[in-house]
Amino acid sequence: DAKTTQPTSMDCAEGRAANLPCNHSTISGNEYVYWYRQIHSQGPQYIIHGLKNNETNEMASLIITEDRKSSTLILPHATLRDTAVYYCIVRVGGGGATNKLIFGTGTLLAVQP
Amino acid sequence: NAGVMQNPRHLVRRRGQEARLRCSPMKGHSHVYWYRQLPEEGLKFMVYLQKENIIDESGMPKERFSAEFPKEGPSILRIQQVVRGDSAAYFCASSPPGVNTEAFFGQGTRLTVV
């Protein structure tokens, strides 16, 4: 699986959009971009994933650049409960054997009141 | 549909004892993954199992650690003769069969070796 690079930490004001970047310049054509978060040592929580098109769900939006070398996770209206470590992971699409996740160090997002 | 259930949530063992961690996957999920998170570190993949089969154990320590996922019942991560360095949070995740699926995590078991 391709390696990802994320900033160590970011701050965001409550109610504002949080934009979390991720670089994955060595991503292969069949690799998906996944985002998980971990709130205060709880189990990681799935957020969103995509291949090449932008994706949106009830939690967030995922913007993937046209060359797929980077992406941005957007939390449209951050709340204090969104304070967590956010992990960007790329992995080959497909269930079973490829659901193994390689976690990096992630970005600690601190939402400020 | 209940989420991934792990128990116990907290486990204290003395050095040399055995630790058994249990994971019940979500309904309909036949794939289970175990991860370990040492204090102040990231999550590390340990093992991937399907029913009655170990598919990938590349992250498992070579000694004292074993995992199983029997036909009936939960997946078990077993640590024999625990040492202080085994103190960590152990997370289980499950996913359904099929393509492009996501894994869902349990709340973890926090093992403390005293």
Side-chain angles (χ1 to χ4, degrees), chain B residues 21-79:
Chain B
L21 289 63
R22 288 177 290 278
C23 170
S24 296
M26 290 178 67
K27 187 176 181 180
H29 287 194
S30 54
H31 301 166
V32 166
Y33 313 79
W34 285 93
Y35 293 80
R36 176 166 67 173
Q37 187 169 34
L38 295 168
E40 308 302 323
E41 293 190 15
L43 292 106
K44 303 294 184 187
F45 167 80
M46 298 181 74
V47 62
Y48 158 49
L49 310 100
Q50 295 180 16
K51 285 286 187 179
E52 299 185 279
N53 286 302
I54 296 174
I55 307 301
D56 181 349
E57 56 181 346
S58 57
M60 286 280 271
K62 294 289 185 270
E63 298 180 348
R64 302 187 298 107
F65 285 71
S66 62
E68 63 176 9
F69 188 18
K71 186 176 181 181
E72 301 291 338
S75 175
I76 305 289
L77 179 67
R78 181 183 178 204
I79 311 171

Side-chain angles (χ1 to χ4, degrees), chain B residues 90-108:
Chain B
Y90 292 83
F91 292 98
C92 168
S94 73
S95 67
V99 297
N100 196 24
T101 59
E102 60 266 24
F104 295 89
F105 284 78
Q107 290 305 302

Side-chain angles (χ1 to χ4, degrees), chain A residues 36 38 41 91 95-96 99 101, chain B residues 33 35 37 95 98 101 103 110:
Chain A
Y36 281 78
Q38 188 175 26
S41 299
R91 69 167 182 84
N99 264 327
L101 299 170
Chain B
Y33 313 79
Y35 293 80
Q37 187 169 34
S95 67
T101 59
R110 276 146 189 85

